[in-house]
Amino acid sequence: MIPITHIWLSTTPMDIRCGSGKLLAHILTEHQSIRPHCAYLFYNKAGTRLKVFIHDGLGVWLCSRQLDDNKFHGLTKQLTTTQTGISINREQFNALISGLPWRNMGKDKLTPIL
């Protein structure tokens, strides 16, 4: 099991057909460096596919996830207009990859669903 200490979710959709090289270039553009044991999540415009990019300290892992019959909840539009990515916790990550509402998981303050 790869230990993950931080999870970063892109706030804008990406072309999920790209490989690890393009995703790494995007991460380096946004963060100037890549952090070991950090998971970087990207999603497509339709909100039907996710890619998780992880650096384990030695190399990178690229995982893809697609739900059988549904979209990932809350990923069909840009998440925020002011940031390129947001930090989410493990509970939110688990809900997100399962296709469940994830924004209010593990938070003291609740974000209304508009």
Side-chain angles (χ1 to χ4, degrees), residues 72-89:
F72 291 97
H73 193 274
L75 295 182
T76 55
K77 61 182 177 180
Q78 187 168 335
L79 298 174
T80 177
T81 57
T82 58
Q83 298 172 300
T84 59
I86 58 174
S87 179
I88 63 174
N89 62 36

Side-chain angles (χ1 to χ4, degrees), residues 9-18 23 41-51 64-67 70-72 74-78:
L9 172 64
S10 176
T11 57
T12 56
M14 273 200 83
D15 183 359
I16 294 299
R17 296 173 293 183
C18 67
L23 294 176
L41 279 66
F42 300 93
Y43 59 95
N44 66 346
K45 191 181 284 189
T48 56
R49 294 189 65 203
L50 273 177
K51 276 201 174 173
S64 179
R65 175 108 167 127
Q66 183 173 355
L67 297 176
N70 207 350
K71 293 181 177 184
F72 291 97
L75 295 182
T76 55
K77 61 182 177 180
Q78 187 168 335

